[in-house]
Coordinates of all heavy atoms in Angstrom, one line a residue:
M1 N -43.1 17.6 42.2 CA -41.8 18.1 42.6 C -41.7 19.5 42.1 O -42.4 20.0 41.2 CB -40.7 17.3 42.0 CG -40.4 16.0 42.8 SD -38.8 15.4 42.4 CE -37.8 16.3 43.5
I2 N -40.7 20.2 42.6 CA -40.5 21.6 42.3 C -40.0 21.7 40.8 O -40.3 22.7 40.1 CB -39.5 22.2 43.2 CG1 -39.5 23.8 43.0 CG2 -38.1 21.7 43.0 CD1 -38.8 24.5 44.2
W3 N -39.3 20.7 40.3 CA -38.8 20.7 38.9 C -40.0 20.8 38.0 O -40.0 21.5 37.0 CB -38.0 19.5 38.6 CG -36.7 19.5 39.4 CD1 -36.4 18.6 40.4 CD2 -35.6 20.3 39.3 NE1 -35.2 18.9 40.9 CE2 -34.6 19.9 40.2 CE3 -35.2 21.4 38.4 CZ2 -33.4 20.5 40.4 CZ3 -34.0 22.0 38.5 CH2 -33.1 21.6 39.5
N4 N -41.0 20.0 38.2 CA -42.2 20.0 37.4 C -42.9 21.3 37.4 O -43.5 21.7 36.4 CB -43.2 18.8 37.8 CG -42.6 17.5 37.5 OD1 -41.7 17.3 36.6 ND2 -43.0 16.5 38.2
E5 N -43.0 21.9 38.5 CA -43.6 23.3 38.6 C -42.9 24.3 37.8 O -43.4 25.2 37.3 CB -43.7 23.7 40.1 CG -44.6 22.8 40.9 CD -44.6 23.2 42.4 OE1 -44.1 24.3 42.7 OE2 -45.2 22.5 43.2
L6 N -41.5 24.1 37.7 CA -40.7 25.1 36.9 C -40.7 24.7 35.5 O -40.2 25.4 34.7 CB -39.3 25.1 37.5 CG -39.1 25.7 38.9 CD1 -37.7 25.5 39.4 CD2 -39.5 27.1 38.9
G7 N -41.2 23.5 35.1 CA -41.2 23.1 33.7 C -40.0 22.5 33.3 O -39.6 22.4 32.1
V8 N -39.2 21.9 34.2 CA -37.9 21.3 33.9 C -38.1 19.8 34.1 O -38.6 19.3 35.1 CB -36.8 21.8 34.8 CG1 -35.5 21.0 34.6 CG2 -36.6 23.3 34.7
S9 N -37.8 19.0 33.0 CA -37.9 17.6 33.1 C -36.7 17.0 33.7 O -35.7 17.7 33.9 CB -38.1 17.0 31.7 OG -37.0 17.1 30.9
G10 N -36.8 15.7 34.1 CA -35.6 15.0 34.7 C -34.4 14.9 33.7 O -33.3 15.0 34.2
G11 N -34.7 14.8 32.5 CA -33.6 14.7 31.5 C -32.8 16.0 31.4 O -31.6 16.0 31.3
I12 N -33.5 17.1 31.4 CA -32.8 18.4 31.4 C -32.0 18.6 32.7 O -30.9 19.1 32.6 CB -33.8 19.6 31.1 CG1 -34.4 19.4 29.7 CG2 -33.2 20.9 31.3 CD1 -35.5 20.4 29.4
A13 N -32.6 18.2 33.8 CA -31.8 18.4 35.0 C -30.6 17.5 35.0 O -29.5 18.0 35.5 CB -32.7 18.0 36.2
L14 N -30.6 16.3 34.5 CA -29.5 15.4 34.4 C -28.4 16.0 33.5 O -27.2 16.0 33.7 CB -29.9 14.0 34.0 CG -30.5 13.2 35.1 CD1 -31.0 11.8 34.5 CD2 -29.6 13.0 36.2
C15 N -28.9 16.6 32.4 CA -28.0 17.2 31.4 C -27.3 18.4 32.1 O -26.0 18.5 31.9 CB -28.8 17.7 30.2 SG -27.7 18.3 28.9
A16 N -28.0 19.2 32.8 CA -27.3 20.4 33.5 C -26.3 19.9 34.5 O -25.2 20.4 34.7 CB -28.4 21.2 34.1
L17 N -26.7 18.8 35.3 CA -25.8 18.3 36.3 C -24.5 17.7 35.6 O -23.4 17.9 36.1 CB -26.5 17.2 37.1 CG -25.7 16.5 38.1 CD1 -25.3 17.5 39.2 CD2 -26.5 15.3 38.7
Y18 N -24.7 17.1 34.4 CA -23.5 16.6 33.7 C -22.5 17.7 33.4 O -21.3 17.5 33.6 CB -24.0 15.9 32.4 CG -22.9 15.6 31.4 CD1 -22.0 14.5 31.6 CD2 -22.7 16.4 30.3 CE1 -21.0 14.3 30.8 CE2 -21.6 16.2 29.4 CZ -20.8 15.1 29.7 OH -19.8 14.9 28.8
F19 N -23.0 18.8 32.9 CA -22.2 19.9 32.5 C -21.5 20.6 33.7 O -20.4 21.0 33.7 CB -22.9 20.9 31.6 CG -23.1 20.4 30.2 CD1 -24.3 20.1 29.8 CD2 -22.0 20.3 29.4 CE1 -24.5 19.6 28.5 CE2 -22.1 19.9 28.1 CZ -23.4 19.5 27.6
V20 N -22.2 20.6 34.8 CA -21.6 21.2 36.0 C -20.5 20.3 36.5 O -19.4 20.8 36.9 CB -22.7 21.4 37.1 CG1 -22.1 21.7 38.5 CG2 -23.7 22.5 36.7
V21 N -20.7 19.0 36.5 CA -19.7 18.1 37.0 C -18.5 18.1 36.0 O -17.3 18.1 36.4 CB -20.2 16.6 37.1 CG1 -19.1 15.6 37.3 CG2 -21.2 16.6 38.3
K22 N -18.8 18.2 34.7 CA -17.7 18.2 33.7 C -16.9 19.5 33.9 O -15.6 19.4 33.9 CB -18.3 18.3 32.3 CG -17.4 18.3 31.2 CD -18.1 18.3 29.8 CE -17.1 18.5 28.7 NZ -17.8 18.6 27.4
W23 N -17.5 20.6 34.2 CA -16.8 21.9 34.4 C -15.9 21.7 35.7 O -14.7 22.2 35.7 CB -17.7 23.0 34.6 CG -17.1 24.3 35.0 CD1 -16.4 25.2 34.3 CD2 -17.1 24.8 36.4 NE1 -15.9 26.2 35.1 CE2 -16.4 26.0 36.4 CE3 -17.6 24.3 37.6 CZ2 -16.2 26.7 37.5 CZ3 -17.4 25.1 38.7 CH2 -16.7 26.2 38.7
A24 N -16.4 21.2 36.7 CA -15.7 21.0 38.0 C -14.5 20.1 37.8 O -13.4 20.4 38.3 CB -16.6 20.5 39.1
V25 N -14.6 19.0 37.1 CA -13.5 18.1 36.9 C -12.5 18.7 36.0 O -11.3 18.6 36.3 CB -14.0 16.8 36.3 CG1 -12.9 15.9 35.8 CG2 -14.9 16.0 37.2
R26 N -12.9 19.4 35.0 CA -11.9 20.1 34.1 C -11.1 21.1 34.9 O -9.9 21.2 34.7 CB -12.6 20.7 32.9 CG -11.6 21.4 32.0 CD -12.3 22.0 30.8 NE -12.8 21.0 30.0 CZ -13.5 21.2 28.8 NH1 -13.7 22.4 28.4 NH2 -13.9 20.2 28.1
S27 N -11.8 21.9 35.7 CA -11.1 22.9 36.5 C -10.1 22.3 37.5 O -9.0 22.8 37.6 CB -12.1 23.8 37.3 OG -12.9 24.5 36.4
A28 N -10.5 21.2 38.1 CA -9.6 20.5 39.0 C -8.4 19.9 38.3 O -7.2 20.0 38.8 CB -10.3 19.4 39.7
I29 N -8.5 19.4 37.1 CA -7.4 18.9 36.3 C -6.5 20.0 35.9 O -5.2 19.8 36.0 CB -7.9 18.1 35.1 CG1 -8.6 16.8 35.5 CG2 -6.8 17.8 34.1 CD1 -9.3 16.1 34.4
V30 N -7.0 21.1 35.5 CA -6.1 22.2 35.1 C -5.3 22.7 36.3 O -4.1 23.0 36.2 CB -7.0 23.3 34.4 CG1 -6.2 24.6 34.3 CG2 -7.5 22.9 33.1
E31 N -6.0 22.8 37.4 CA -5.3 23.3 38.6 C -4.2 22.3 39.1 O -3.1 22.7 39.5 CB -6.3 23.5 39.8 CG -5.7 24.1 41.0 CD -6.8 24.3 42.1 OE1 -8.0 24.5 41.7 OE2 -6.4 24.4 43.3
A32 N -4.5 21.1 39.0 CA -3.5 20.0 39.4 C -2.4 20.1 38.5 O -1.2 19.9 38.9 CB -4.2 18.7 39.5
H33 N -2.6 20.2 37.2 CA -1.5 20.3 36.2 C -0.6 21.5 36.5 O 0.6 21.4 36.4 CB -2.1 20.3 34.8 CG -1.0 20.4 33.8 ND1 -0.6 21.5 33.2 CD2 -0.3 19.4 33.2 CE1 0.4 21.3 32.4 NE2 0.5 19.9 32.3
A34 N -1.2 22.6 36.8 CA -0.4 23.8 37.1 C 0.5 23.6 38.3 O 1.6 24.0 38.4 CB -1.3 25.0 37.3
Q35 N -0.1 22.9 39.3 CA 0.7 22.6 40.5 C 1.9 21.6 40.2 O 3.0 21.8 40.7 CB -0.2 22.1 41.6 CG -1.1 23.1 42.3 CD -2.0 22.5 43.3 OE1 -2.0 21.3 43.6 NE2 -2.7 23.4 44.0
I36 N 1.6 20.6 39.4 CA 2.6 19.6 39.1 C 3.7 20.3 38.2 O 4.9 20.0 38.4 CB 2.0 18.4 38.4 CG1 1.1 17.7 39.3 CG2 3.0 17.5 37.7 CD1 0.2 16.6 38.7
A37 N 3.3 21.1 37.3 CA 4.3 21.8 36.4 C 5.0 22.9 37.1 O 5.9 23.5 36.5 CB 3.5 22.3 35.2
G38 N 4.8 23.1 38.3 CA 5.5 24.1 39.1 C 5.1 25.6 38.7 O 6.0 26.4 38.8
G39 N 3.9 25.7 38.3 CA 3.5 27.1 37.9 C 3.9 27.5 36.5 O 3.7 28.7 36.2
K40 N 4.5 26.6 35.8 CA 4.9 27.0 34.4 C 3.6 27.2 33.5 O 2.7 26.4 33.6 CB 5.7 25.9 33.8 CG 7.1 25.7 34.4 CD 7.8 24.6 33.8 CE 9.1 24.3 34.5 NZ 9.8 23.1 33.9
K41 N 3.7 28.2 32.7 CA 2.6 28.5 31.9 C 2.7 27.7 30.6 O 3.8 27.4 30.1 CB 2.5 30.0 31.5 CG 2.2 30.9 32.7 CD 2.1 32.3 32.2 CE 1.9 33.3 33.4 NZ 1.9 34.7 32.9
S42 N 1.6 27.3 30.0 CA 1.6 26.7 28.7 C 0.5 27.2 27.9 O -0.5 27.7 28.4 CB 1.5 25.1 28.9 OG 0.3 24.8 29.5
G43 N 0.5 27.0 26.6 CA -0.5 27.4 25.7 C -0.3 28.8 25.1 O 0.8 29.3 25.2
P44 N -1.4 29.4 24.6 CA -1.2 30.7 23.9 C -0.8 31.8 24.8 O 0.0 32.6 24.4 CB -2.7 30.9 23.5 CG -3.4 29.7 23.5 CD -2.7 28.8 24.5
Q45 N -1.1 31.8 26.1 CA -0.7 32.8 27.0 C 0.8 32.8 27.2 O 1.5 33.8 27.3 CB -1.4 32.7 28.4 CG -1.1 33.9 29.3 CD -1.5 35.2 28.8 OE1 -2.6 35.3 28.2 NE2 -0.7 36.2 29.0
A46 N 1.4 31.6 27.4 CA 2.8 31.5 27.5 C 3.5 32.0 26.3 O 4.6 32.6 26.4 CB 3.2 30.0 27.8
L47 N 3.0 31.6 25.1 CA 3.6 32.1 23.9 C 3.6 33.6 23.8 O 4.6 34.2 23.4 CB 2.9 31.4 22.7 CG 3.5 31.8 21.3 CD1 4.9 31.4 21.1 CD2 2.6 31.1 20.2
W48 N 2.5 34.2 24.1 CA 2.3 35.6 24.1 C 3.3 36.3 25.1 O 3.9 37.3 24.7 CB 0.9 36.0 24.4 CG 0.7 37.5 24.4 CD1 0.6 38.3 25.5 CD2 0.7 38.4 23.3 NE1 0.5 39.6 25.1 CE2 0.6 39.7 23.7 CE3 0.9 38.2 21.9 CZ2 0.5 40.8 22.9 CZ3 0.8 39.3 21.1 CH2 0.7 40.5 21.6
D49 N 3.5 35.7 26.2 CA 4.4 36.3 27.2 C 5.9 36.2 26.7 O 6.6 37.2 26.9 CB 4.3 35.5 28.6 CG 3.0 35.8 29.3 OD1 2.3 36.7 28.9 OD2 2.7 35.0 30.2
V50 N 6.2 35.2 26.0 CA 7.6 35.1 25.4 C 7.7 36.2 24.3 O 8.8 36.8 24.3 CB 7.8 33.7 24.8 CG1 9.1 33.7 24.0 CG2 7.9 32.7 26.0
I51 N 6.7 36.3 23.5 CA 6.8 37.3 22.4 C 6.9 38.7 23.0 O 7.8 39.5 22.6 CB 5.6 37.2 21.5 CG1 5.6 35.9 20.7 CG2 5.5 38.4 20.6 CD1 4.4 35.6 20.0
V52 N 6.2 39.0 24.0 CA 6.2 40.4 24.6 C 7.5 40.6 25.4 O 8.0 41.7 25.3 CB 5.0 40.5 25.6 CG1 5.1 41.8 26.4 CG2 3.7 40.5 24.8
S53 N 8.1 39.6 26.0 CA 9.3 39.8 26.8 C 10.5 40.0 25.9 O 11.5 40.6 26.4 CB 9.5 38.6 27.7 OG 9.8 37.4 27.0
E54 N 10.5 39.5 24.7 CA 11.6 39.7 23.8 C 11.7 41.2 23.3 O 10.7 41.8 23.2 CB 11.5 38.8 22.5 CG 11.6 37.3 22.9 CD 11.4 36.5 21.6 OE1 11.1 37.0 20.6 OE2 11.6 35.3 21.8
D55 N 12.9 41.6 23.2 CA 13.1 43.0 22.7 C 12.7 43.0 21.2 O 13.3 42.3 20.4 CB 14.5 43.5 22.9 CG 14.9 43.6 24.3 OD1 14.0 43.9 25.1 OD2 16.0 43.4 24.7
A56 N 11.8 43.9 20.9 CA 11.4 44.1 19.5 C 12.5 44.8 18.7 O 13.0 45.8 19.3 CB 10.1 44.8 19.4
P57 N 12.8 44.4 17.5 CA 13.9 45.1 16.8 C 13.4 46.6 16.4 O 12.2 46.7 16.0 CB 14.1 44.3 15.5 CG 12.8 43.5 15.4 CD 12.3 43.3 16.8
S58 N 14.2 47.5 16.6 CA 13.8 48.9 16.3 C 14.1 49.2 14.9 O 15.0 48.6 14.3 CB 14.6 49.9 17.2 OG 16.0 49.7 17.0
E59 N 13.3 50.0 14.3 CA 13.4 50.3 12.9 C 14.3 51.5 12.7 O 14.6 52.3 13.4 CB 12.0 50.7 12.3 CG 11.1 49.5 12.4 CD 9.7 49.8 11.8 OE1 9.6 50.9 11.2 OE2 8.8 49.1 12.0

């Protein structure tokens, strides 16, 4: 097989496939959550946006 010619064993190919599927599922879950939440931001980016939007007290 072509994998053997490239020096890749079946175990490494399965491991790579696992991480590709894991990445795809995680991306789909994050996208679905954003749609369900109505586009509301959450996490560090949302906190940063709130901090930036507030008027900083002047000295």
Side-chain angles (χ1 to χ4, degrees):
M1 281 201 82
I2 194 166
W3 296 108
N4 291 336
E5 293 176 11
L6 294 174
V8 177
S9 67
I12 293 176
L14 285 176
C15 184
L17 181 64
Y18 167 77
F19 284 108
V20 168
V21 170
K22 180 180 174 182
W23 171 79
V25 169
R26 180 179 292 181
S27 296
I29 289 172
V30 168
E31 184 177 339
H33 180 267
Q35 287 179 354
I36 291 170
K40 295 180 183 175
K41 295 181 182 177
S42 63
Q45 183 63 38
L47 180 59
W48 179 254
D49 291 343
V50 169
I51 292 170
V52 170
S53 68
E54 293 178 354
D55 294 329
S58 58
E59 295 180 13

